[in-house]
């Protein structure tokens, strides 16, 4: 589209927003890619725009809802400014000089893709699918009812921004992973059958039989693992047979409606062929790693991904790694359970406790929502009036909320990572939200969850950051196209260099103090780990459980490198158990250093306070000639701080998990030896091997975990300081020491972006006052 067509489109959209519109004002915000061919025309338009800028007024009160931060009108502004910057990018000459390269990179760096992840946990039958369907307004999207959900498949639901179709991408585990699983499964079943009846592990056997029967029917019983890898079993999913590549290509389904997609997905996400899908001959869910569903035309999913998560990871290594990554990236977690046993439901609270370290210190979660479903289910409702039924339901909801909050307050392990302020309880009824028989729409509390997702979608910060960055870059380009006094530039450079040295020292000092605090905590953790490691090990390999069949469980633990998930959903993680004293020793200090809520702490806090005081310098008369450079530097300062805050958020996850990862690496030799043990006395021999290894390596293993974590922490400190100094140093040098004789004039573009920036600031201030 050319400038004229884009102008007409923007004008039409803006007229819808405003009851009365000033044609000249609309022209300034709608003109996207100005032509620079006619100089006199450009000067005239620039003059008009400057006049409009001085007359800019905030939106009228009746327009506040339409023009609130994050509304559609801001998307128009963002689109306009992006188009302006694309045009500016094209106008920068492709000459091989430092300034041009610098400007090109800065324009590219403006692009960001904000995405919030909401993880949804809950046991089968708790109402997760119905909840997600109701919240996003797609009642037929996720199957619910008679067919049992598969507990191992992760399902992501996000927006389809490419077209108006319903799509699903199915990602499979690798052929090697499945072959390894087949060998283990067949051997496990054989060994279990050889045991005495009171020594058999029937629960894990049932899990394996269900998985193999789903994919192979009866064929698996009399065939070897090599035979079961024959391509004939996978001819409907040729994508599974594709050799491994860095970016896995899954199977894609594309249909017109949510109902069609749901029907096609059944064999990839559900696990009970007896209850549904009678025409299905082969179920592929054992091979599925993740399903990503893309929904068209859904505003709640613009910047939000909902993820239906297995309770506590998986024994398959690639599935478990993906689970940890996704849980660690969740900004919000929904724990879903039925209201009638919300406070006493064992599985829901176990999920919260087992995942809390991955979400808290090991993640970025800020909100935990405990969602009690099916709040409208009461007995003998026909014998009472509608008003009495509603009153009874609301009273029951209040009691459930109180009981759940009391339960949360007693969870010491979870409270190490999350405060009471981060925990909220909702009582919902997806059924009543759609039918509105017993409860009003708001009583179902689905609208509250929708409002929460809408707030996560808020693109105001993204728009303001982009427009602010664009304004800074255009300020630098505009200044670089003209020549200025060298004496002023030299004086300003001297002031900025000294200020930067002082500010870097302020950042460095609290970081160093934090490093010493962690060193002290970890030293205590190492000594405690040495004393308790044998007891911790035996609590896993010698559980205080009556009955038999533990040999199979222990075999599973060593086969999957210290991790096992029982058929009842309980997850055993020996590596986390052995590293527990280390993680407990730093939990409090870690939360204080890297808080998920707010932007404080010795890393984020001091980084956010870093400032070259360019705003104050701009107000001084002697620096008037370098006002544009100072504006650019102010923008650069905000951009690099935002980038480094994201770096801190991502790197802190690997720093925290490094303790368990180092223990797992050290235990690998022990696991490999134990995998080879078979025959008589297998259980005793595996236990002896593991005890011998842990006691023999405890003096090195825990000290090494401490050293690895401290090195990663030190690397983060150095990278923050180096990146901060280099970025600002380059920006100062290029903004004050370069005269860009080949740089285009961007006067008009700068005025237009400044107008947008003022408008956004006005809206933000108006919203706060309102």
């Amino acid at each position: 589209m050319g400038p004229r067509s884009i102008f007409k489109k923007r004008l039409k959209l803006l007229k819808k927003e405003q009851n009365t519109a000033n044609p000249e004002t609309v022209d300034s915000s709608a003109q996207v890619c100005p032509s620079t061919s006619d100089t006199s025309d450009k000067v005239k338009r620039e003059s008009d725009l400057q006049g409009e800028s001085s007359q800019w007024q905030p939106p009228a009160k009746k327009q506040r809802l339409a023009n609130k931060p994050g509304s559609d009108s801001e998307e128009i502004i963002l689109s306009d400014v992006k188009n302006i910057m694309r045009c500016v990018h094209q106008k920068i000459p492709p000459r091989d000089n430092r300034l041009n390269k610098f400007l090109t990179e800065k324009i590219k760096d403006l692009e960001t893709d904000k995405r919030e992840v909401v993880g949804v946990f809950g046991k089968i039958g708790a109402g997760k699918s119905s909840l997600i369907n109701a919240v996003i307004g797609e009642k037929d999207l996720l199957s619910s009812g008679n067919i049992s959900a598969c507990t191992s498949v992760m399902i992501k639901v996000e927006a389809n921004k490419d077209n108006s179709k319903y799509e699903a991408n199915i990602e499979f585990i690798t052929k090697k992973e499945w072959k390894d699983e087949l060998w283990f499964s067949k051997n496990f079943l054989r060994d279990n059958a050889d045991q005495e009846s009171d020594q058999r592990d029937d629960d894990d056997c049932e899990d394996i039989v269900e998985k193999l029967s789903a994919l192979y029917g009866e064929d698996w019983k009399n065939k070897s693992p090599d035979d079961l890898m024959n391509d004939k079993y996978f001819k409907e999913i040729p994508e599974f047979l594709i050799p491994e590549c860095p970016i896995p290509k899954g199977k894609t389904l594309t249909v017109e409606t949510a109902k069609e997609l749901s029907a096609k997905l059944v064999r990839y996400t559900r696990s009970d062929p007896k209850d549904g899908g009678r025409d299905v001959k082969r179920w592929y869910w054992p091979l599925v790693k993740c399903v990503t569903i893309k929904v068209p035309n859904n505003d709640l999913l613009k910047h939000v991904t909902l993820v239906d998560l297995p309770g506590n990871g998986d024994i398959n290594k690639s599935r478990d790694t993906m689970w940890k990554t996704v849980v660690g990236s969740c900004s919000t977690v929904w724990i879903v359970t039925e209201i009638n046993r919300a406070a006493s439901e064992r599985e829901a609270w176990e999920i919260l406790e087992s995942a809390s370290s991955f979400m808290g210190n090991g993640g970025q979660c800020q909100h935990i929502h405990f969602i009690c479903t099916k709040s409208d289910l009461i007995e003998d409702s026909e014998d009472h009036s509608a008003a009495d039924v509603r009153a009874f339901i609301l009273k029951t909801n209040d009691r459930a909320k109180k009981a759940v909050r009391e339960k949360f307050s007693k969870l010491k392990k979870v409270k190490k990572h999350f405060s009471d302020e981060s925990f909220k309880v909702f009582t919902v009824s997806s059924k009543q939200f759609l039918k509105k028989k017993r409860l009003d729409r708001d009583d179902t509390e689905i609208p509250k969850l929708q409002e929460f997702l809408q707030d996560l979608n808020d693109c105001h910060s993204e728009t303001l950051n982009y427009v602010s960055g664009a304004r800074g870059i255009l300020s630098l380009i505009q200044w670089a196209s003209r020549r200025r006094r060298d004496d002023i530039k030299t004086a300003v450079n001297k002031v900025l260099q000294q200020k930067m040295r002082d500010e870097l020292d302020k950042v460095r000092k609290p970081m160093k103090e934090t490093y010493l605090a962690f060193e002290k905590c970890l030293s205590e953790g190492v000594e405690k780990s040495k004393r308790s490691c044998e007891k911790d090990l035996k609590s896993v390999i010698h559980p205080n459980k009556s009955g038999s069949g533990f040999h199979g469980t222990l075999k599973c633990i060593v086969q999957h490198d210290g991790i096992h998930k029982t058929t009842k959903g309980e997850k055993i993680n020996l590596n986390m158990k052995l590293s527990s004293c280390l993680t407990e020793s730093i939990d409090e200090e870690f939360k204080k250093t890297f808080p998920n809520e707010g932007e404080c702490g010795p890393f984020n806090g001091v980084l956010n306070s870093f400032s070259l005081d360019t705003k104050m310098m701009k107000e001084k008369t002697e620096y008037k000639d370098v006002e544009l450079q100072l504006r650019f530097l102010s923008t650069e300062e905000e951009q690099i701080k935002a980038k480094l805050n994201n770096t801190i958020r991502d790197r802190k996850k690997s720093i925290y998990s490094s303790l368990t990862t180092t223990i797992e690496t050290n235990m690998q030799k022990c696991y490999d030896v134990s995998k080879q043990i078979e025959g008589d006395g297998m259980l005793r021999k595996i236990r002896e091997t593991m005890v011998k290894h842990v006691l023999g390596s405890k003096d090195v293993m825990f000290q090494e975990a401490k050293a690895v974590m401290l090195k990663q922490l030190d690397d983060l400190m150095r990278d923050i300081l180096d990146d901060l100094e280099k970025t600002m140093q380059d920006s100062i040098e290029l903004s004050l020491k370069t005269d860009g004789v080949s740089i285009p004039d961007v006067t008009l573009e700068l005025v237009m972006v400044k107008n947008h920036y003022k408008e956004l600031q006005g809206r933000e201030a108006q919203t706060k006052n309102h």
Side-chain angles (χ1 to χ4, degrees):
M1 295 173 66
R4 189 180 299 275
S5 299
I6 293 173
F7 164 73
K8 288 180 180 178
K9 179 182 177 184
R10 299 298 183 216
L11 179 59
K12 186 177 179 181
L13 288 169
L14 287 170
K15 278 184 175 179
K16 284 183 180 179
E17 285 187 354
Q18 301 173 349
N19 293 329
T20 59
N22 183 321
E24 293 178 344
T25 306
V26 171
D27 185 75
S28 72
S29 62
Q31 183 69 29
V32 175
C33 189
S35 169
T36 56
S37 57
D38 188 328
T39 306
S40 62
D41 183 55
K42 177 177 177 178
V43 172
K44 179 179 181 298
R45 280 182 290 168
E46 176 186 342
S47 175
D48 291 342
L49 285 165
Q50 287 173 330
E52 290 164 21
S53 175
S54 64
Q55 296 171 6
W56 180 88
Q57 295 293 329
K61 185 175 181 179
K62 62 185 177 182
Q63 296 170 342
R64 280 180 185 164
L65 185 59
N67 289 339
K68 70 176 182 179
S71 67
D72 289 343
S73 59
E74 291 202 355
E75 292 190 8
I76 294 174
I77 290 175
L78 182 60
S79 177
D80 284 350
V81 177
K82 284 186 175 183
N83 280 329
I84 289 172
M85 297 309 292
R86 275 193 286 269
C87 293
V88 171
H89 188 211
Q90 292 169 5
K91 288 162 62 175
I92 296 175
R95 298 186 182 180
D96 190 20
N97 69 61
R98 192 179 173 197
L99 179 59
N100 286 12
K101 285 183 176 179
F102 179 80
L103 292 172
T104 299
E105 287 301 314
K106 288 299 172 186
I107 292 174
K108 288 180 181 177
D109 288 345
L110 287 175
E111 295 287 347
T112 57
D113 181 24
K114 174 190 172 184
R115 182 143 295 276
E116 300 284 350
V117 180
V118 177
V120 186
F121 291 97
K123 72 173 187 178
I124 296 171
K128 288 188 295 179
S129 297
S130 298
L131 174 69
I132 293 173
N133 287 348
V135 169
I136 66 173
E138 293 282 358
K139 68 174 185 176
D140 297 320
L141 186 65
L142 299 181
S143 298
S144 59
N146 293 331
I147 308 176
S148 300
C150 171
T151 57
S152 62
V153 176
M154 184 184 303
I155 301 176
K156 300 180 182 179
V157 182
E158 59 189 35
N160 186 353
K161 298 181 180 180
D162 300 323
N163 54 60
S164 59
K165 308 282 188 183
Y166 287 83
E167 293 183 354
N169 181 265
I170 302 161
E171 184 180 345
F172 300 101
I173 61 175
T174 66
K175 282 180 68 178
K176 182 183 182 305
E177 287 174 324
W178 181 240
K179 188 174 182 179
D180 290 345
E181 199 163 328
L182 282 175
W183 276 102
F184 170 73
S185 298
K186 296 284 280 187
N187 290 337
F188 183 89
L189 293 173
R190 183 199 65 206
D191 291 344
N192 194 66
D194 292 340
Q195 299 293 320
E196 297 292 334
S197 58
D198 63 340
Q199 294 292 314
R200 290 177 182 167
D201 190 344
D202 293 331
D203 286 342
D204 284 318
C205 282
E206 286 177 13
D207 193 33
I208 291 172
V209 169
E210 180 191 13
K211 189 179 294 187
L212 296 178
S213 299
L215 183 58
Y216 297 109
E218 298 292 315
D219 283 5
W220 67 269
K221 294 181 178 179
N222 302 311
K223 293 190 176 182
S224 69
D226 285 332
D227 291 336
L228 294 175
M229 289 302 296
N230 191 298
D231 288 358
K232 71 178 182 180
Y233 294 110
F234 316 106
K235 60 184 179 182
E236 291 184 274
I237 49 170
E239 298 84 0
F240 173 73
L241 301 173
I242 296 173
E244 291 183 53
C245 57
I247 303 176
K249 293 183 179 179
K251 185 179 186 68
T252 300
L253 306 175
T254 304
V255 295
E256 296 290 336
T257 67
K259 199 167 188 176
E260 289 178 83
L261 187 63
S262 180
K264 284 181 176 289
L265 278 175
V266 165
R267 66 196 308 190
Y268 300 100
T269 60
R270 318 304 281 185
S271 69
D272 196 348
K274 297 176 207 169
D275 289 341
R278 291 178 176 80
D279 296 331
V280 176
K281 292 181 180 179
R282 209 174 299 286
W283 297 71
Y284 293 116
W285 60 265
L287 305 176
V288 176
K289 182 177 178 181
C290 176
V291 174
T292 301
I293 297 174
K294 296 190 175 183
V295 181
N297 309 316
N298 196 300
D299 289 341
L300 289 179
L301 298 176
K302 277 182 181 177
H303 301 287
V304 171
T305 296
L306 295 173
V307 189
D308 185 348
L309 287 156
N312 44 20
D314 197 88
I315 57 172
N316 175 278
K317 213 157 196 179
S318 65
R319 279 197 191 118
D320 197 59
T321 300
M322 177 179 275
W323 182 88
K324 290 175 182 175
T325 301
V326 172
V327 172
S329 66
C330 290
S331 61
T332 303
V333 164
W334 291 354
I335 307 291
V336 183
T337 189
E338 294 183 38
I339 193 170
N340 57 349
R341 296 183 61 222
S344 58
E345 174 58 57
R346 181 182 59 85
E347 190 167 339
W349 294 103
E350 282 181 356
I351 288 172
L352 179 56
E353 287 194 277
S354 64
S356 60
S357 63
F358 296 106
M359 301 184 311
N361 283 346
Q364 60 189 68
C365 182
Q366 299 176 34
H367 309 281
I368 298 176
H369 292 168
F370 202 94
I371 301 176
C372 308
T373 59
K374 306 178 184 179
S375 64
D376 61 310
L377 294 181
I378 62 171
E379 296 180 3
D380 304 323
S381 60
E382 302 298 330
D383 299 336
H384 303 280
S385 68
D388 288 342
V389 170
R390 178 177 178 269
F392 180 80
I393 291 173
L394 296 180
K395 187 175 181 180
T396 302
N397 291 350
D398 287 340
R399 282 202 300 264
K401 288 181 178 181
K402 183 179 179 182
V404 168
R405 290 192 193 101
E406 288 177 356
K407 175 80 172 182
F408 177 78
S409 66
K410 298 174 183 176
L411 300 180
K412 293 181 180 179
K413 182 178 178 181
V414 179
K415 295 297 287 291
K416 287 182 180 179
H417 303 272
F418 297 99
S419 63
D420 289 332
E421 289 72 28
S422 64
F423 184 78
K424 289 186 178 179
V425 187
F426 295 85
T427 50
V428 307
S429 171
S430 305
K431 186 177 178 181
Q432 290 300 311
F433 177 73
L434 297 172
K435 294 187 175 181
K436 291 177 280 189
K437 271 188 173 182
R438 300 174 176 174
L439 297 173
D440 295 336
R441 191 180 181 88
D442 289 343
D443 292 337
T444 69
E445 299 201 353
I446 295 289
K448 288 184 179 180
L449 294 175
Q450 291 176 326
E451 185 179 350
F452 177 80
L453 292 187
Q454 190 58 60
D455 289 341
L456 288 183
N457 272 293
D458 173 19
C459 66
H460 177 69
S461 59
E462 179 190 7
T463 303
L464 188 61
N465 289 342
Y466 188 97
V467 175
S468 173
R471 186 181 70 132
I473 293 170
L474 292 174
S475 297
L476 177 61
I477 295 174
Q478 185 67 356
W479 174 86
S481 64
R482 306 169 184 173
R483 292 188 175 276
R484 300 288 184 183
R485 290 166 44 198
D486 289 339
D487 58 330
I488 294 296
K489 291 189 290 184
T490 302
V492 171
N493 182 56
K494 186 176 180 180
V495 171
L496 290 173
Q497 294 290 351
Q498 183 58 51
K499 183 65 178 174
M500 186 163 70
R501 285 192 291 269
D502 294 341
E503 290 295 297
L504 286 172
D505 285 340
K506 290 180 184 178
V507 174
R508 188 179 291 109
K509 184 180 177 183
M511 286 185 176
K512 184 63 179 175
E513 291 171 352
T514 299
Y515 180 91
L516 295 174
F518 273 109
E519 189 173 34
K520 181 182 177 183
C521 291
L522 284 168
S523 295
E524 294 171 358
V526 167
E527 295 307 313
K528 191 173 180 181
S529 297
K530 289 178 183 179
R531 294 193 299 270
S532 65
C533 62
E534 185 175 6
K535 179 182 175 183
D536 290 338
L537 174 65
K538 289 184 176 179
S539 71
V540 175
I541 65 175
H542 285 280
N544 294 323
K545 293 181 180 178
S546 59
S548 51
F550 187 71
H551 86 283
T553 299
L554 188 57
K555 190 71 175 174
C556 287
I557 291 172
V558 299
Q559 180 66 33
H560 298 103
D561 302 331
I563 299 169
H564 177 55
K565 187 175 180 180
T566 69
T567 53
K568 295 178 181 178
E570 179 188 359
K571 188 171 183 181
I572 300 170
N573 191 324
L574 178 57
N575 307 309
M576 286 188 71
K577 187 66 178 177
L578 290 173
S579 62
S580 59
C581 291
L582 286 170
T583 53
E584 287 170 7
S585 72
I586 62 159
D587 272 337
E588 187 177 344
E589 187 68 31
F590 203 93
K591 184 182 177 183
K592 186 170 67 176
T593 303
F594 302 108
N596 289 344
E597 307 111 342
E599 296 180 350
C600 52
F603 276 71
N604 303 82
V606 295
L607 180 61
N608 291 330
S609 65
F610 176 92
S611 176
L612 297 180
D613 284 339
T614 52
K615 291 181 181 178
M616 184 187 70
M617 292 175 69
K618 278 192 296 182
E619 296 173 0
K620 295 187 177 181
T621 308
E622 62 264 38
Y623 300 134
K624 191 69 177 174
D625 283 347
V626 290
E627 181 182 355
L628 292 175
Q629 295 100 305
L630 293 174
R631 180 184 295 158
F632 166 73
L633 290 174
S634 177
T635 302
E636 278 295 279
E637 193 179 285
E638 294 306 313
Q639 296 282 335
I640 185 60
K641 288 195 287 189
K643 176 188 170 186
L644 290 175
N645 274 320
N646 287 337
T647 298
I648 293 170
R649 182 196 66 195
D650 293 338
R651 296 263 294 268
K652 71 113 170 179
K653 300 173 191 177
S654 60
I655 292 173
Y656 186 78
S657 65
S658 67
L659 295 173
T660 302
T661 303
T662 305
I663 299 299
E664 182 178 352
T665 301
N666 191 284
M667 290 290 294
Q668 192 60 54
K669 184 178 179 182
C670 170
Y671 296 140
D672 291 341
V673 171
S674 298
K675 288 173 188 177
Q676 308 305 317
I677 299 174
E678 294 180 351
D680 294 339
M682 179 183 69
L683 183 62
R684 174 180 54 79
K685 291 175 184 176
I686 291 177
R687 284 171 168 166
E688 289 174 353
T689 299
M690 298 182 83
V691 171
K692 181 180 178 182
H693 177 85
V694 169
L695 294 181
S697 60
K698 67 177 183 179
D699 291 333
V700 176
M701 179 166 61
F702 300 113
Q703 194 66 37
E704 184 182 348
K706 169 191 169 184
V708 169
M709 181 179 178
L710 288 176
K711 184 181 185 307
Q712 289 192 17
L713 185 64
D714 186 62
D715 288 344
L716 176 61
M717 291 162 49
R718 292 176 185 275
D719 290 346
I720 289 171
L721 291 165
D722 290 348
D723 204 356
L724 183 59
E725 182 176 15
K726 184 179 184 305
T727 300
M728 295 311 300
Q729 186 66 49
D730 288 347
S731 299
I732 291 170
E733 186 175 335
L734 282 163
S735 62
L736 293 174
K737 297 184 179 181
T738 308
D739 285 319
V741 293
S742 63
I743 297 296
D745 182 78
V746 292
T747 304
L748 177 58
E749 291 89 339
L750 178 57
V751 172
M752 293 168 68
V753 172
K754 283 166 67 176
N755 282 348
H756 281 314
Y757 182 71
K758 288 179 183 178
E759 184 178 0
L760 289 170
Q761 282 193 314
R763 290 181 183 185
E764 187 172 41
Q766 188 182 28
T767 302
K768 288 178 180 177
N769 293 334
H770 183 64

